[in-house]
């Protein structure tokens, strides 16, 4: 129970300081069509799927040179294509280092891995411009080479990646992450950011990222606060039955939360399926991945609650990469799925956090933008590859198909993710809290009341 009290105080502190202060940056996120499904491990180089990535425009140097970056909460730091990068690797506009009077270059190197590719180069320090605000002497990677399809093929007019992970770009644990540098430079108050993606069918600059606070106009329903999972030195998530409560410095790799189960509801609200529970799963939140990934048997079991009419997609007898479905199955019924996340890293919870996803967010049209006119779709959930499975066979990656339905606040200082249902105007019930835990119920609603009180007083600020 203590955690909820802490969370309440934390939110109140935010509301009374950050949302009322000027030190908060709100920027639009663009949705950008690409011809590929972006995936963390590799790319699915196929079909004419109008998958999208989320872009953000950021200025670098003095005078300011503007670039679009892929928003990736799972990778470290900000890197840009440098003028040293051959145009075969860095296809679009590159940073003209010589033109920036504020740039300080170094001989320190960085290398950010993406699936089977990477971006490599040298670290520099320069002024970063976000909206009207500037952060000086900010660490940036100046990439002289990129490899792997996931960068080049999905990066139409994209000049780099804004990584908002917990570690910094050099991999040095003492280095500040992108968000921490904004806070260190007093550009924002708290080292946190919040993301709203909007619905799949909203194109253009409709998403939003807020640095230093959050936008209370973008969510509704109960507020859940979850601790981020740490990783051991071998890179394995510390989760489930083998969880050990480490004292001292923990290693953080991704925004990973404890995944509990996925529950499917019929249009009338009847629970029709719940994934069979083996152990708490490490669930990586990944804004740069198009689909979401679960163990194959769970994907199939969930899909069969929706439709029996599907075709596995695989290449040359390799593993199944995705499922092709008839879009009609996803538009004619108002089912919804709950992705439940445990409050504890080591065991399922009686009152899990819920990300509720309407069925219409779980089909990506293959021909055209419109789910209602497209003939074939890709199912929003796909089998996870072995490298992301724990020894007990669990593992999730929650990509855009799930994250679009949730308003998330990423708190670097407290290593916490706050999850609330995004206001997307879908006609499905708002998640309710489990009645079995009345104490946390009260606390959650205490938080909500505080939010709405502040809303009235300061609606002009956000
Ligand atoms: C970034 O992308 C948006 C949307 O496509 C576009 O309007 C804008 O001009 C781009 N900015 C840069 C610097 O290329
Ligand atoms: C850099 O400066 C040169 C010379 O002033 C100019 O021609 C060029 O367009 C500038 N490049 C960029 C990307 O600003
Ligand atoms: C990088 O190393 C080269 C060669 O060792 C040296 O000439 C150069 O001054 C160094 N640059 C910086 C910024 O330290
Ligand atoms: C690119 O950067 C790496 C460091 O990440 C360095 O080892 C390599 O020599 C650089 N290549 C070129 C062509 O400058
Ligand atoms: C930038 O400043 C202008 C006026 O000074 C203000 O209207 C606008 O909201 C600011 N934009 C951001 C992103 O802070
Ligand atoms: C810029 O930041 C780096 C690393 O954080 C630091 O070593 C350097 O002294 C800073 N430079 C200035 C001019 O503040
Ligand atoms: C990435 O993997 C694909 C096959 O999965 C391979 O064809 C490609 O060469 C790899 N790219 C790199 C940079 O290793
Ligand atoms: C881990 O240990 C800390 C400090 O002793 C305690 O507050 C926390 O509840 C423990 N977490 C779990 C999951 O047991
Ligand atoms: C709700 O829908 C499910 C599945 O379509 C059906 O089996 C069940 O009978 C319905 N329940 C009610 C109360 O209508
Ligand atoms: C999709 O389903 C609808 C109705 O269930 C049917 O009319 C249509 O032919 C199906 N499309 C494909 C490509 O199978």
């Amino acid at each position: 129970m203590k955690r909820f009290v802490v969370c309440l105080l934390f939110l109140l502190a935010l509301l009374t300081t950050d949302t009322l202060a000027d030190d908060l940056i709100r920027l639009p996120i663009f949705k950008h069509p690409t011809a590929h499904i972006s995936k963390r491990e590799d790319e699915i180089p196929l079909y004419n799927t109008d998958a999208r990535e989320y872009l953000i425009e950021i200025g670098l140097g003095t005078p300011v040179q503007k670039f679009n970056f892929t928003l990736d909460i799972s990778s470290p730091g900000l890197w840009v294509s440098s003028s040293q990068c051959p145009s075969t690797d860095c296809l679009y506009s590159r940073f003209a280092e010589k033109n920036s009077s504020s740039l300080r270059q170094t001989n320190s190197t960085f290398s950010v891995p993406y699936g089977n590719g990477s971006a490599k180069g040298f670290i520099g320090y320069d002024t970063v411009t976000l909206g009207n605000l500037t952060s000086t002497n900010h660490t940036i990677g100046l990439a002289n080479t990129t490899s792997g399809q996931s960068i080049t093929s999905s990066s139409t007019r994209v000049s780099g990646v804004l990584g908002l992970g917990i570690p910094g770009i050099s991999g040095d644990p003492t280095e500040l992450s992108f968000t921490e540098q904004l806070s260190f430079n007093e550009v924002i108050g708290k080292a946190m950011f919040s993301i709203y993606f909007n619905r799949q069918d909203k194109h253009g600059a409709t998403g939003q990222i807020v640095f230093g606070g959050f936008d209370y106009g973008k969510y509704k329903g109960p507020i859940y606060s979850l601790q981020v999972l740490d990783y051991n030195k071998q890179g394995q998530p510390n989760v489930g039955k083998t969880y050990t409560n480490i004292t001292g410095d923990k290693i953080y790799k991704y925004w990973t939360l404890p995944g509990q189960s996925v529950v499917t509801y019929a249009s009338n609200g009847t629970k029709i399926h719940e994934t069979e529970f083996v152990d708490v799963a490490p669930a990586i939140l990944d804004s740069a991945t198009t689909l979401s990934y679960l163990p194959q048997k769970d994907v199939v079991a969930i899909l069969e609650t929706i439709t029996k009419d599907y075709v596995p997609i695989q290449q040359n007898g390799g593993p199944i990469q995705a499922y092709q479905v008839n879009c009609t199955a996803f538009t004619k019924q108002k089912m919804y799925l709950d992705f439940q996340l445990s409050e504890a890293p080591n065991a399922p919870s009686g009152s899990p956090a819920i990300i509720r996803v309407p069925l219409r967010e779980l089909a990506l049209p293959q021909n055209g933008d419109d789910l209602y006119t497209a003939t074939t779709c890709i199912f929003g959930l796909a089998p996870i590859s072995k490298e992301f499975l724990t020894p007990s066979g669990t593992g999730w990656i929650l990509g855009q198909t799930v994250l679009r339905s949730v308003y998330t606040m990423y708190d670097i200082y407290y290593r916490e993710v706050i999850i609330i249902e995004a206001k997307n105007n879908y006609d499905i019930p708002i998640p309710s809290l489990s009645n079995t835990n009345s104490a946390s119920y009260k606390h959650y609603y205490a938080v909500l009341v505080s939010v709405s009180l502040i809303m009235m007083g300061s609606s002009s600020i956000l």
Side-chain angles (χ1 to χ4, degrees):
M1 276 330 83
K2 206 167 161 215
R3 255 163 44 94
F4 300 120
V5 181
V6 171
C7 159
L8 165 67
L9 292 175
F10 162 59
L11 277 173
L12 282 175
L14 277 175
L15 287 165
T16 49
T17 58
D18 290 9
T19 50
L20 296 173
D22 292 334
D23 53 359
L24 184 141
I25 308 171
R26 187 167 61 161
L27 291 173
I29 305 171
F30 304 96
K31 238 195 226 178
H32 190 78
T34 71
H36 291 73
I37 286 181
S38 300
K39 197 178 169 204
R40 187 141 295 273
E41 309 105 282
D42 51 51
E43 190 92 358
I44 307 181
L46 35 124
Y47 20 82
N48 193 17
T49 295
D50 211 6
R52 292 184 161 75
E53 65 184 335
Y54 287 90
L55 307 184
I56 179 166
E57 194 179 67
I58 294 176
L60 300 178
T62 314
V64 174
Q65 300 174 40
K66 283 188 178 176
F67 301 96
N68 275 333
F69 294 89
T70 298
L71 178 71
D72 183 6
I73 61 169
S74 306
S75 67
L78 173 76
W79 66 261
V80 66
S81 302
S82 85
S83 60
Q84 302 303 305
C85 184
S87 56
T88 45
D89 277 10
C90 297
L91 304 176
Y92 303 100
S93 46
R94 287 169 282 170
F95 186 43
E97 287 93 334
K98 276 190 266 176
N99 291 18
S100 176
S101 60
S102 47
L103 175 65
R104 191 168 66 82
Q105 288 178 275
T106 74
N107 280 336
S108 308
T109 62
F110 79 94
S111 173
V112 180
Y114 295 95
N116 66 354
S118 67
K120 285 183 188 151
F122 295 103
I123 287 176
Y125 298 92
D126 206 344
T127 301
V128 168
T129 306
L130 291 158
N132 295 357
L133 297 168
T134 52
S135 179
T136 54
N137 193 37
H138 207 107
T139 312
I140 52 178
L142 302 166
N144 64 16
T145 167
T146 68
S147 67
Q149 296 176 333
S150 44
I151 294 161
T152 50
S153 62
S154 68
S155 49
T156 313
R157 287 188 289 136
V158 174
S159 300
V161 173
L162 171 62
L164 295 177
I166 297 175
I169 197 163
S170 69
D172 173 352
T174 62
E175 185 196 8
L176 300 179
S177 66
F178 184 87
T179 318
E180 285 169 314
Q181 285 188 60
L182 293 178
S183 163
F184 179 80
N185 283 348
E186 298 180 349
V187 176
I188 58 174
K190 289 218 159 54
M192 70 174 291
F193 60 93
S194 308
I195 293 180
Y196 174 75
F197 285 119
N198 216 332
R199 313 161 48 123
Q200 188 190 172
D201 55 16
K202 299 275 188 222
H203 304 159
T206 55
Q208 177 191 271
I209 183 162
V210 177
F211 285 101
F214 57 92
D215 182 343
Y216 43 74
K218 295 280 191 279
Y219 59 78
K220 60 183 180 189
I223 296 170
Y224 304 102
S225 138
L226 300 169
Q227 285 295 317
V228 177
L229 295 175
D230 59 295
Y231 282 72
N232 67 19
K233 290 197 176 69
Q234 291 71 45
Q236 295 303 309
N238 183 13
V239 65
K241 289 172 185 145
T242 58
Y243 176 82
T244 46
N245 198 346
I246 294 167
T247 50
D249 285 348
K250 294 182 181 180
I251 303 168
Y252 293 92
K253 196 168 163 184
Y254 300 119
W255 293 101
T256 311
L257 300 176
Q260 180 161 321
S261 65
V262 182
V263 183
T264 311
Y265 294 91
S267 305
N268 64 13
T270 307
K271 183 181 187 171
I272 50 179
H273 179 260
E274 180 160 3
T275 54
E276 215 174 291
F277 187 77
V278 194
D279 197 359
V280 182
I284 299 171
L285 309 192
D286 187 0
S287 64
T289 288
T290 311
L291 302 177
S292 299
Y293 296 84
L294 301 174
Q296 183 163 329
K297 68 168 180 36
D298 295 327
V299 174
V300 172
I302 293 165
L303 181 53
E304 291 197 341
T305 66
I306 303 161
T307 178
K308 301 279 189 292
D309 180 14
Y310 61 86
V311 181
I313 296 169
Q314 54 199 130
Q315 286 178 317
N316 310 322
I320 294 170
Q321 294 177 315
Y323 295 93
Q324 190 175 51
V325 292
N326 185 335
C327 309
T328 317
F330 291 76
T331 53
K332 72 177 180 206
Q333 45 191 350
K334 282 188 186 161
M335 293 169 63
Y336 51 92
L337 276 71
D338 279 0
F339 291 79
Q340 296 188 342
L341 301 161
S342 178
E343 291 175 319
N346 54 346
S349 159
S351 53
I354 293 168
I355 300 179
R356 179 162 291 176
V357 182
L359 195 57
R360 273 175 287 167
E361 288 292 333
L362 287 174
L364 302 182
Q366 279 188 281
N367 44 344
D369 272 348
D370 186 353
L371 196 57
Y372 288 85
T373 56
T375 48
T376 58
C377 278
I378 297 291
F379 183 41
L381 307 179
I384 195 164
S385 53
K386 286 195 193 79
E387 63 176 295
F388 286 95
L389 286 176
T390 62
S392 58
T394 63
W396 302 0
I397 295 172
L398 300 180
Q400 294 163 9
T401 52
V402 169
L403 294 181
R404 269 193 280 266
S405 298
V406 67
Y407 191 75
T408 34
M409 306 176 198
Y410 300 86
D411 188 308
I412 306 226
Y413 184 77
Y414 286 104
R415 306 285 195 244
E416 206 165 58
V417 178
I418 293 168
I419 282 183
I420 324 177
E421 194 71 2
K423 249 190 208 170
N424 272 346
N425 294 321
Y426 277 110
D427 182 18
I428 58 168
I430 296 174
S432 58
L433 291 159
S434 155
N435 293 330
T436 56
N437 196 334
S438 56
S440 59
Y441 183 93
K442 278 189 205 124
H443 284 302
Y444 284 130
Y445 279 93
V447 173
L448 274 185
V449 170
S450 312
V451 172
S452 52
L453 281 175
I454 299 294
M455 262 170 83
M456 286 181 255
S458 61
S459 58
S460 61
I461 289 168
L462 281 169

